[in-house]
Amino acid sequence: MLIAFALTPMGVEENGAAYVADAIKIIRESGLPNRSDSMYTMIEGDWDEVMDVVKRATEAVADRVPRVQVSIKIDVWPGMDRPLDGKISMLERRVADNAAAASALDARTAAADADASGVPATGAGPAA
């Protein structure tokens, strides 16, 4: 299972980064594969492990602020090996495959256009 979640400290005047840093420390110390970016933190593991980490991270922030808003996205994908990196690897392969297919299509289109117009695919003009 892969979970992406964001904690937003509410009711504080200053930047929430100091509060969120407490949560990130708990997440990193969990030993579960994780990655944080500017919008979410993603954690990979089984349901109980991941939800326990989310709960503890939320409580760490809630202990210091009047209110915490939690946004959670969960991807339950049985059989997906290492979803944190596996989904990105799959996407990168598809992007590369699509680029190769587009390049081959461009070459075939250029050759067909040259045949139809009498202009070589290089654009050098008609043959003498």
Side-chain angles (χ1 to χ4, degrees):
M1 174 176 106
L2 183 62
I3 188 169
F5 77 108
L7 300 173
T8 305
M10 307 294 284
V12 292
E13 299 275 331
E14 67 273 7
N15 185 318
Y19 306 110
V20 173
D22 291 343
I24 297 297
K25 182 176 189 277
I26 290 167
I27 294 161
R28 291 185 178 163
E29 290 175 351
S30 74
L32 296 176
N34 66 83
R35 180 177 303 136
S36 296
D37 61 31
S38 61
M39 297 289 294
Y40 288 96
T41 294
M42 292 157 285
I43 307 172
E44 176 185 312
D46 73 29
W47 185 272
D48 291 334
E49 290 176 318
V50 171
M51 294 309 286
D52 177 62
V53 174
V54 170
K55 179 182 178 184
R56 289 187 293 120
T58 302
E59 289 170 345
V61 176
D63 286 346
R64 298 183 57 205
V65 301
R67 179 175 158 213
V68 180
Q69 187 177 67
V70 183
S71 300
I72 301 176
K73 293 173 66 173
I74 300 172
D75 187 356
V76 179
W77 191 343
M80 169 52 104
D81 184 42
R82 298 179 18 229
L84 187 61
D85 295 319
K87 288 176 74 171
I88 297 298
S89 296
M90 184 184 334
L91 175 64
E92 293 297 339
R93 283 192 305 272
R94 297 247 171 109
V95 168
D97 290 348
N98 287 352
S103 179
L105 178 61
D106 288 346
R108 286 192 304 268
T109 300
D113 289 348
D115 287 346
S117 67
V119 177
T122 60

